[in-house]
Structure formats: C-alpha cells, structure tokens
Amino acid sequence: MISRARISVVTAATAAALALTAGVTLTGAQAQAQNEIHAPKGGWAAAWAASPQRPSTGFKPNWSEAGFDRQTLRQVVRVTEGGTRARIRLSNAYGASPLRIESATVARTKKGAAVEEGSVRRLTFGGGKRAATIPAGGRLASDAAGLELDAFESVTVTLHLSGTTGPATFHSQAFATSYRADGDHTGDTGAGAFDESTESWYYLTGVDVSGPRPAARDGVVLFGDSITDGFASSTDRDRRWSDALAERLADAGDQRPVLNAGIGGNMVLNDSAWYGEKGVGRFARDALDLPGVGTVVVLEGVNDIGFGETDKPTYKPAPTVSARQLINGHRKLIREARAKGLRVVGATLLPLGGSDHYGPHAAAVSDEFNTWVRTSGEYDAYVDFDKALADPADPERIAPAYDSGDHLHPNDAGYRAMARAVELEEL
C-alpha cells in the first residue's frame, strides 16, 4: 500500500520534472519534492548558504547587472558540516529569462581559483543530466556527487554558462573572491584561465552534504543584515560571526552546521532594490526551508530605524518605523519559525552611536526594541549583543576594540565577541 503522503510527493516530483522540461517556474512544493525524490537515505544537511539578491551596482564592482556570456564562473565557499556526498543549490530568483547551466563541477579547494587534483566531480541534474535550465524565478538542486568533505573545508563550485545570461541573481557582499574565465573551464584544476575576479557570489545559494553523521535538525541559521553578512570582516579569511560561532560550537564538542542568511542593508519591514527583499518576505526561503535546520537566530532592524537618519541615496525610500512596528515584524518571524517547528532566538541590536544610522529616533526605537527582546519572553531565548559589544565608557557606542571604524559594524574581533556572547545551550 502507498500512503497518501507518498502519493503527494510523487505527484509533486512528477510535476517538478514536467515544469523543468517545459521551462515553468517550480513551486516551493515541487522544488522540495524534487530534492526529496533524489535525496540519500540519510537525508541532506545544509553546510553553507547565501541569500539571493536582485542584480545591483553594489559597494564594489560586480558582474550582476551585465551577467555572463559563454563564460565559466568559479566560486569558493567554506562548509561548516562534513559529509561523503555533496550537492549544490542554484537560484535564478531574479533572472528575467531562463538560466542555462551547460556543465558544473564541485571540488576541494587548493588555493585561490585552483582546486585539488583528483577531487573534481562532474555534477548532474534531474537524475543524471549534465546540463540544466532554470526558469526565470526558479531554483534547482543538483544530484548528489561523491565527494568527501570535512567541516571547515573550502569547496569550489564551477559553472559553465554557455549562453548570454542577462542580469544575474547574486549575493552582493561575499567577503570572498569569485573567479571568471572565457569558455568552458569546469574541469580545470589550475587557476590560469581565471583572470578576472570579484567579491560576490552568483546563482549559488547552497552546498548540502549527507553522511557520515545521521541527518538531524540541528543546523543553526543566522538571519539578518550586514552585521550577519559579515560587513568589514577580512576577505577570504572566513571571519564573519557565523564562522566564529561554528568554530566555537566545534571547540565545545557540539559540531553543528551554521548557515549565514544575512544580506547587507536588509530591513525587516521594507524591500530595497539594493538590499534585498524585506525580512518578513524572505524568511522562509532563506532560513526556514534550509535542510536540517533546527534553530534560527534573528538579528535585524537597525536599517529599518537607521536609514531615515541620513540622506544617503541608497537608503531611500526610508519610511519612519516605530518600535511597535518593528516588534510586530519580529513577531511575524517568530510565528513563522514556530509553525515550522524551529527554535527561534532573538538578538538585541548593537550600539550604533556615532554611525550614520544614529539619531534621536533611531536611538529611542533601538532602546525600546532591545528592552522588548530582553523582557517580553516572546523569543525562545535571546542574545544581548547590545551589552556584549558596548563601550563601557559610552554604552551608546561599540567598544573601540570591536569597531570596524564606521561605528556600526564590528571588526573581526567584534564578530568573535558576538559568537562568545551566545549561550550555546540555548541554540
């Protein structure tokens, strides 16, 4: 006898396959069913993630608005969980036309754009196809590839984009170097062909692993804005607070995946052409639906209240947001996380005195919001970053030892201090 649940999965998976063949965007259920139908028995765990954004100019030169034309894209990421098999997840969420992936590989990183000889694995899609087309607005996971990875090992994902892509879905601030070459160089182990670089990720939104550890819902997602994203951390050195937290868990004997769902400039309540869809709109896609997740830590709101304190063009429009509105936005996130059966941890906003986000309104709302996080009990637990990073001589400001220089974002030491502020048993 086949259960009703099994019938629904098969039906959704069949619809997913037909949708891909016809060039139709997959629904969330179809995409999930397609992944489940090819999943290993042990299940998948997200080992690395990045949240997709619309093409935009960004703070540093990037390739998102121009896209790619008969080129190979090589991207390096660090996983926080090991396994014996791997797959990648790709997004064409903001593409205006179907995205053709002509070929793809995954390998262990050697240095820069070079990969370890003997580690290159050819990726397939949809049950063995070397090429794949992702419809505009769609997403796709590869089939499993046999590749042994250790936690904290760097992985290189290489995509050959044989046609003209148009503007590319990307993650603006990677704080990691990506590389580009003309033609098909997916199988190259050397770096010679990759003569262009940028500090953004393109199309790649996840690397998942399976085995040898049994799959468990113990992954931790950090959801937020540029502070979660790692702004001002050292490029190519994995110094975001998500990296520091994953390392601290491992040192404590509690190895668990830690996923970063930050977007620089992101807001809880309002969309931005530069800074991503509002938090309440992207929460499920970027955090709750990642495989193997059990806990979400939410640190977001400083841009909702701080963009209105300055005339910087990229911060506009910047509606005035009250503490009550911000709190209600967080309540929506709490409800969504609990509906998925996840533990949800809140965080106080960091001190922002002296920054371009600081002013009378932002200061007052920050204080009221932080008091709610500490005292309301609405989150399952909370982390007090406001106190952990404050300057004892002026609690409105980040301590000089933790300040990147803009009085808003921590430096590498500040991100490590954030990781130390977390009570690990609360995750």
Side-chain angles (χ1 to χ4, degrees):
M1 179 181 293
I2 300 177
S3 71
R4 184 182 300 273
R6 175 62 177 165
I7 291 172
S8 68
V9 168
V10 173
T11 301
T14 302
L18 292 172
L20 279 174
T21 302
V24 177
T25 302
L26 297 184
T27 66
Q30 288 168 347
Q32 181 178 359
Q34 181 203 25
N35 295 342
E36 288 174 353
I37 214 72
H38 298 293
K41 290 183 179 180
W44 290 108
W48 173 87
S51 300
Q53 296 175 246
R54 289 182 174 84
S56 66
T57 302
F59 288 105
K60 292 185 177 182
N62 69 71
W63 305 321
S64 68
E65 293 181 318
F68 303 89
D69 184 9
R70 296 181 293 277
Q71 292 167 315
T72 297
L73 175 63
R74 179 160 279 187
Q75 305 178 85
V76 180
V77 304
R78 187 176 79 150
V79 296
T80 55
E81 178 68 292
T84 55
R85 289 192 283 183
R87 72 174 184 183
I88 65 171
R89 285 179 280 110
L90 301 171
S91 173
N92 193 24
Y94 304 108
S97 59
L99 172 67
R100 178 71 173 178
I101 308 294
E102 198 62 36
S103 60
T105 59
V106 62
R108 289 190 293 272
T109 307
K110 185 176 182 180
K111 183 179 180 181
V115 301
E116 288 186 11
E117 293 187 8
S119 74
V120 178
R121 302 290 185 269
R122 184 70 58 181
L123 291 170
T124 61
F125 302 88
K129 298 180 179 67
R130 176 169 168 162
T133 299
I134 308 175
R139 55 186 175 175
L140 180 66
S142 73
D143 301 330
L147 181 65
E148 290 201 14
L149 297 171
D150 294 328
F152 307 116
E153 188 166 14
S154 290
V155 181
T156 297
V157 176
T158 309
L159 308 174
H160 179 219
L161 309 167
S162 60
T164 301
T165 66
T169 297
F170 83 138
H171 183 86
S172 178
Q173 299 178 74
F175 308 103
T177 306
S178 298
Y179 307 89
R180 184 167 69 176
D182 291 329
D184 184 359
H185 293 276
T186 50
D188 290 14
T189 56
F194 295 91
D195 56 1
E196 295 182 89
S197 64
T198 179
E199 291 183 21
S200 298
W201 289 307
Y202 305 84
Y203 304 118
L204 183 65
T205 58
V207 175
D208 304 333
V209 297
S210 67
R213 195 166 71 93
R217 290 185 67 184
D218 64 353
V220 180
V221 180
L222 310 185
F223 185 84
D225 48 43
S226 57
I227 295 174
T228 295
D229 207 14
F231 187 88
S233 65
S234 298
T235 299
D236 290 328
R237 298 190 68 185
D238 300 306
R239 297 292 177 85
R240 310 164 194 85
W241 94 267
S242 53
D243 298 301
L245 180 61
E247 292 163 2
R248 184 169 172 237
L249 282 163
D251 289 343
D254 186 17
Q255 172 67 56
R256 298 163 68 177
V258 177
L259 297 319
N260 193 312
I263 292 180
N266 198 229
M267 293 176 279
V268 177
L269 300 173
N270 290 286
D271 294 334
S272 168
W274 269 47
Y275 306 124
E277 291 183 44
K278 57 190 175 185
V280 293
R282 69 182 187 90
F283 193 44
R285 180 196 68 188
D286 292 351
L288 307 184
D289 293 344
L290 298 181
V293 169
T295 301
V296 183
V297 182
V298 179
L299 169 61
E300 191 156 35
V302 70
N303 297 314
D304 295 76
I305 64 177
F307 277 3
E309 299 287 0
T310 178
D311 291 328
K312 190 173 289 187
T314 61
Y315 291 174
K316 305 303 178 183
T320 300
V321 172
S322 68
R324 184 54 46 193
Q325 288 171 314
L326 184 57
I327 289 167
N328 286 339
H330 276 252
R331 284 173 171 155
K332 185 175 188 300
L333 301 180
I334 293 169
R335 289 194 299 270
E336 287 190 24
R338 292 207 175 120
K340 292 273 189 174
L342 303 185
R343 182 171 178 79
V344 58
V345 177
T348 58
L349 303 180
L350 277 67
L352 66 161
S355 74
D356 65 358
H357 283 43
Y358 190 75
H361 177 75
V365 172
S366 179
D367 287 345
E368 186 174 345
F369 173 79
N370 285 348
T371 298
W372 171 79
V373 171
R374 294 181 183 113
T375 63
S376 70
E378 294 189 45
Y379 275 107
D380 293 320
Y382 73 91
V383 185
D384 203 338
F385 293 137
D386 178 41
K387 290 184 177 178
L389 273 75
D391 181 354
D394 185 357
E396 290 289 298
R397 293 175 175 258
I398 294 178
Y402 299 146
D403 190 349
S404 68
D406 65 4
H407 312 304
L408 184 67
H409 299 95
N411 55 20
D412 291 352
Y415 287 126
R416 290 194 297 272
M418 290 175 65
R420 289 196 301 272
V422 178
E423 297 288 344
L424 298 184
E425 62 272 16
E426 297 287 4
L427 296 177

